[in-house]
Amino acid sequence: MKIVAAALLAAASAGATRVAPVRLGAAVVPRPFASRARVRASASDDASGLTAAGGGGGGGGGGVPAWLPSFIVPALGGALFGYDIGAVSAVARILGAPDVATASFGAPLSEIALGNVASLPLFGGMLASLAIVFIGDAKIGRLTELKLASLAYFAGTLGAVCAPSLPFLLAGRLGSGLGIGLALHAAPLYIAETAPPELRGRLIAYKEAAIVSGIVLGYIAGALTGDAGLWRQTFAPAFVLEAAMLAQAVALPESPRWLALRGRTDEAELAVAQLRGCSADAARAEVAALAPASRAKPAPLSSAGETVTASVPEPSVLDVFPRLVSEQVYRDALVIGCGLVLFQQLSGQPSVLYYANTLFESIGLGYIAAVAVGGFKLVMTVVSANLVESPQWGRRPLLLAGTGAMTVSLLGLAAMYAVAGPALAAGGSDAAAAQAGVIGLLFLYVGGYQIGFGPITWLVLSEIFPIAVRSPAMSVGTLLNFGSNYLVGTLFELERRSVGEPALFGGFAAVALVAVAFIFTKVPETRGLSLEEIEEKLRGGGPL
């Protein structure tokens, strides 16, 4: 929680942050927050490098940790995604009133149009993920992608706030979706490749906490601007987050691992020194310690008889996918990553939460319940973040515990609707006890999801793929995420009416139970390992 608070505080003052230089050899590198973080030059720091430098605070002096600026940008990208979810839930409810839509656009909105207002960002996210697959890892770095995400977010917010007609609003929603797709792809990669190993899991989990914080802020904004004439202003606070995200991104370096993979060793060393607040020797040692697949390699002699240095060949869209399915290390990682993404969505997460909001509205709780669910999600995400690096827990146990709780909740919901379905449908005082039971089970589901699938899926995806294919493989994961999310959310109401709640929740429970078995048999524990150690072990260097 302290990290999230510090991140928001730092983001709010990003534009006014004093940038002080860090001297690395003969070069001078601007480093945000340098006035409050010392550059360590002791012999012990020289020997430790990036892996040990971060510790709990890397940057020392009791000030802002050196790793915090590189966390703020992806965290703000996540917060904007969450804010969009919270804000549009209010906007869709307001525009669902025929008189409001007629006053805004000249006619009531059809169910399809209203659905697009809410869900078009998912389609935009799919387009962004597909674009990254074909653009490839060579042409765009993690930080550049986050900058583009902030600009797409800004364009989307501008379109929504100023929309004179429905097509303008939908164009804005599509722009926001492009920002969401870029941010969800790049954010976990940038954190994973810049954070100290002992903080990597916690920081990626806190990125999920930033998403949930954004959802809560969006709910609050929707409550404050719930007046029908102010629905456009519900989107406006996102401008502040977008400006802070871009301002901080401009002051940061690209991922050192991304630079090293391209043979840009000097830039990678400068980036390490800036991100860790460490000495030149420590930065040089860290870059030299990267796995062979992540570093420049000597190429054959040139025609002039001189040795030249070239980076590892860039994978193109034509050769990445054959490698992903043909080489064991890539295939295993692909099965783990894509399996987690699909189980995360197919176990009903979009639908169950959607139905929770419908239930809360039906019993008159409305925004109060929405904010309560958001607050509970945030608390459970922070719990997960504080356990993910714990020796007693870690990635795999949290996934098993969270998915197990989801399974119990879904079985309980199926049984509750089978026994008390008529009472729930009728409402009134007779349904009070059944409603309380359903609400309790929904909170258990939300807690299980936020302990496990919510933060841990993206953490494992950012760790499990070897760096040579990490970006395109992550694009496949985000593409599956948006596609399955859209599919489950779109079909939920049709399925509910066709087969009824007991069969629907029972089906989700069966998927969740299979997910427990998948996690138990397939997902390794990666706590405490560097990305290079994970890749080495996946290649046969030892059990994870």
Side-chain angles (χ1 to χ4, degrees):
M1 198 69 177
K2 293 179 180 178
I3 294 180
V4 175
L8 293 176
L9 177 63
S13 61
T17 299
R18 184 160 65 102
V19 178
V22 175
R23 186 168 298 278
L24 183 61
V28 175
V29 186
R31 176 162 59 83
F33 305 100
S35 60
R36 290 183 285 176
R38 297 178 302 178
V39 179
R40 293 167 297 181
S42 67
S44 61
D45 284 337
D46 288 349
S48 63
L50 177 61
T51 300
V64 174
W67 48 260
L68 182 58
S70 60
F71 168 75
I72 290 174
V73 174
L76 285 173
L80 282 164
F81 174 38
Y83 186 85
D84 185 84
I85 294 173
V88 81
S89 67
V91 170
R93 182 185 62 82
I94 294 170
L95 291 179
D99 57 331
V100 176
T102 300
S104 300
F105 304 124
L109 296 184
S110 67
E111 291 183 355
I112 293 178
L114 194 60
N116 278 325
V117 170
S119 62
L120 199 58
L122 293 175
F123 182 70
M126 286 191 289
L127 290 180
S129 300
L130 195 60
I132 294 299
V133 169
F134 283 94
I135 290 173
D137 200 26
K139 301 177 180 65
I140 181 171
R142 323 304 193 210
L143 189 65
T144 301
E145 195 174 342
L146 287 169
K147 292 175 184 176
L148 291 174
S150 69
L151 295 175
Y153 273 131
F154 180 86
T157 303
L158 187 65
V161 169
C162 302
S165 63
L166 180 61
F168 271 89
L169 175 60
L170 294 178
R173 302 299 295 142
L174 185 63
S176 294
L178 294 175
I180 290 168
L182 293 171
L184 286 194
H185 173 261
L189 291 176
Y190 191 71
I191 295 175
E193 294 179 5
T194 59
E198 64 272 19
L199 290 178
R200 185 177 63 241
R202 185 174 298 177
L203 293 181
I204 292 179
Y206 271 118
K207 189 268 299 178
E208 177 72 16
I211 294 177
V212 179
S213 299
I215 293 175
V216 175
L217 291 175
Y219 285 155
I220 294 172
L224 295 176
T225 59
D227 186 290
L230 298 177
W231 66 264
R232 291 178 177 85
Q233 281 65 51
T234 306
F235 294 107
F239 283 130
V240 177
L241 299 178
E242 290 151 5
M245 179 180 176
L246 183 59
Q248 188 62 63
V250 169
L252 288 173
E254 185 51 80
S255 158
R257 286 179 169 87
W258 187 87
L259 292 168
L261 181 63
R262 279 139 197 87
R264 295 157 63 175
T265 306
D266 291 343
E267 294 175 69
E269 292 174 2
L270 294 173
V272 169
Q274 178 175 344
L275 292 168
R276 290 289 143 263
C278 63
S279 68
D281 288 343
R284 193 173 299 113
E286 168 58 26
V287 173
L290 295 179
S294 306
R295 288 187 277 115
K297 292 183 177 181
L301 294 179
S302 68
S303 57
E306 299 173 348
T307 300
V308 297
T309 300
S311 61
V312 177
E314 298 289 354
S316 69
V317 71
L318 297 177
D319 64 15
V320 164
F321 291 106
R323 292 175 67 186
L324 283 173
V325 299
S326 64
E327 297 185 30
Q328 186 71 37
V329 62
Y330 299 140
R331 186 167 64 249
D332 290 347
L334 188 67
V335 168
I336 294 168
C338 292
L340 285 176
V341 168
L342 288 175
F343 281 122
Q344 178 192 46
Q345 300 301 325
L346 297 181
S347 55
Q349 185 266 150
S351 299
V352 173
L353 294 183
Y354 165 79
Y355 197 65
N357 290 333
T358 302
L359 175 65
F360 293 148
E361 287 285 344
S362 71
I363 59 179
L365 294 179
Y367 282 118
I368 296 175
V371 173
V373 170
F376 182 66
K377 283 167 66 71
L378 179 58
V379 169
M380 298 309 293
T381 307
V382 172
V383 170
S384 179
N386 283 286
L387 293 177
V388 72
E389 299 294 356
S390 166
Q392 292 78 25
W393 288 89
R395 284 75 157 146
R396 190 168 176 270
L398 286 173
L399 278 171
L400 289 170
T403 311
M406 290 169 60
T407 304
V408 171
S409 170
L410 290 166
L411 288 172
L413 287 168
M416 183 71 72
Y417 274 97
V419 173
L424 286 165
S429 58
D430 293 340
Q435 287 173 339
V438 169
I439 290 172
L441 290 168
L442 288 171
F443 270 81
L444 177 62
Y445 181 93
V446 168
Y449 180 83
Q450 293 304 137
I451 280 283
F453 272 145
I456 307 299
T457 295
W458 296 104
L459 169 57
V460 173
L461 256 69
S462 70
E463 295 177 326
I464 205 71
F465 293 109
I467 193 169
V469 298
R470 187 172 295 147
S471 179
M474 193 76 169
S475 299
V476 173
T478 54
L479 187 62
L480 282 175
N481 173 75
F482 287 116
S484 55
N485 190 326
Y486 184 81
L487 180 68
V488 173
T490 301
L491 295 179
F492 173 77
E493 190 63 22
L494 176 63
E495 293 173 339
R496 187 179 72 85
R497 293 180 181 179
S498 299
V499 303
E501 286 91 347
L504 180 60
F505 289 125
F508 287 146
V511 174
L513 188 60
V514 174
V516 172
F518 174 83
I519 293 166
F520 185 80
T521 57
K522 295 290 186 182
V523 179
E525 180 57 63
T526 55
R527 179 182 56 82
L529 299 174
S530 71
L531 297 179
E532 288 70 39
E533 289 171 332
I534 294 171
E535 179 173 347
E536 180 182 355
K537 290 182 179 294
L538 284 172
R539 291 182 181 278
L544 282 170

